[in-house]
């Protein structure tokens, strides 16, 4: 790449890295994995930067690469999470904050139990704010597939959260 392309890529990276990292975190639930997944997406983008003609479609390309990386990562058996009984660090028990954190933690834990493709659709639709068409483009599938995956993902998420409420109140 020439100097101008490198500069354009650096500007794009600086502007979008936090948003891509947050999206990756919502899909995988782990900041370290999110960093790796975001890096994978940006490395793929860097390789193809010179060939991208429509710079307005760059976000869609990064999203699609990120979703594929999340799904690929979930298929690797040596990378699967292991559950532990003891948390590595204590949780802050401040009043007020505890309710928000518990709700957020419950949602993130429930998202982890939703299958990867459904999780990707839910994150793109409800956290990134994409409409059905944009999510379909990002995932490389039909709008009908996005709609059905959204319905199934929401049903799975609802089921997990209801089970959590019944168990822990």
């Amino acid at each position: 790449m020439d100097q101008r392309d490198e500069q354009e890529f650096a500007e794009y990276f600086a502007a979008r890295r936090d948003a891509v990292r947050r999206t990756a975190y919502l899909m995988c639930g782990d900041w370290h994995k999110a960093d790796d997944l975001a890096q994978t997406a940006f490395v793929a983008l860097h390789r193809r930067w010179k060939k991208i003609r429509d710079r307005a479609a760059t976000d869609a390309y990064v999203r699609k690469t990120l979703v594929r990386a999340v799904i690929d990562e979930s298929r690797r058996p040596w990378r699967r999470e292991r559950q532990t009984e003891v948390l590595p660090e204590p949780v802050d028990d401040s009043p007020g904050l505890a309710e928000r954190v518990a709700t957020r933690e419950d949602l993130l834990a429930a998202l982890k139990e939703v299958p990867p493709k459904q999780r990707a659709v839910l994150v793109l639709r409800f956290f990134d704010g994409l409409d059905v068409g944009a999510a379909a483009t990002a995932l490389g599938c039909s709008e009908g597939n996005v709609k059905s995956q959204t319905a199934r993902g929401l049903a799975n998420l609802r089921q997990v959260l209801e089970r959590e409420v019944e168990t822990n109140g």
Side-chain angles (χ1 to χ4, degrees):
M1 277 198 306
D2 63 13
Q3 189 66 22
R4 187 180 58 100
D5 286 336
E6 284 290 343
Q7 182 63 31
E8 285 178 2
F9 177 80
E11 289 170 3
Y12 178 81
F13 174 77
R16 299 295 300 154
R17 70 177 163 218
D18 291 337
V20 171
R21 184 174 178 252
R22 278 191 302 271
T23 300
Y25 174 74
L26 289 170
M27 288 186 190
C28 72
D30 180 280
W31 284 111
H32 297 291
K33 284 183 187 175
D35 288 336
D36 291 344
L37 294 166
Q39 179 179 343
T40 299
F42 281 117
V43 166
L45 175 64
H46 188 267
R47 278 192 218 121
R48 308 256 324 147
W49 186 258
K50 202 171 189 176
K51 296 179 182 182
I52 296 175
R53 293 186 188 131
D54 183 10
R55 295 286 192 228
T58 305
D59 285 345
Y61 178 81
V62 171
R63 258 194 303 281
K64 190 172 195 171
T65 305
L66 183 63
V67 168
R68 287 180 176 167
V70 169
I71 292 170
D72 287 347
E73 187 71 19
S74 72
R75 291 178 178 157
R76 295 186 177 135
W78 61 86
R79 300 273 178 130
R80 293 194 180 129
E81 291 183 24
R82 293 182 181 89
Q83 300 291 332
T84 63
E85 293 295 322
V86 180
L87 295 175
E89 50 197 44
V91 177
D92 184 15
D93 291 334
S94 305
L97 179 64
E99 295 248 346
R100 287 193 319 233
V101 171
T103 304
R104 181 172 172 246
E105 286 177 355
D106 291 342
L107 178 61
L108 292 175
L111 267 174
K112 287 181 185 177
E113 292 190 38
V114 174
K117 289 181 182 177
Q118 293 173 8
R119 183 181 329 133
V121 169
L122 292 177
V123 169
L124 291 176
R125 293 282 324 276
F126 300 109
F127 291 97
D128 277 359
L130 297 182
D131 62 6
V132 173
T137 302
L139 295 169
C141 64
S142 69
E143 290 185 12
N145 192 349
V146 169
K147 290 177 185 178
S148 66
Q149 292 294 320
T150 300
R152 289 182 189 129
L154 287 173
N156 284 335
L157 190 62
R158 209 173 282 118
Q159 185 178 29
V160 170
L161 289 172
E162 285 173 0
R163 190 173 58 230
E164 177 67 25
V165 168
E166 288 173 4
T167 305
N168 298 327

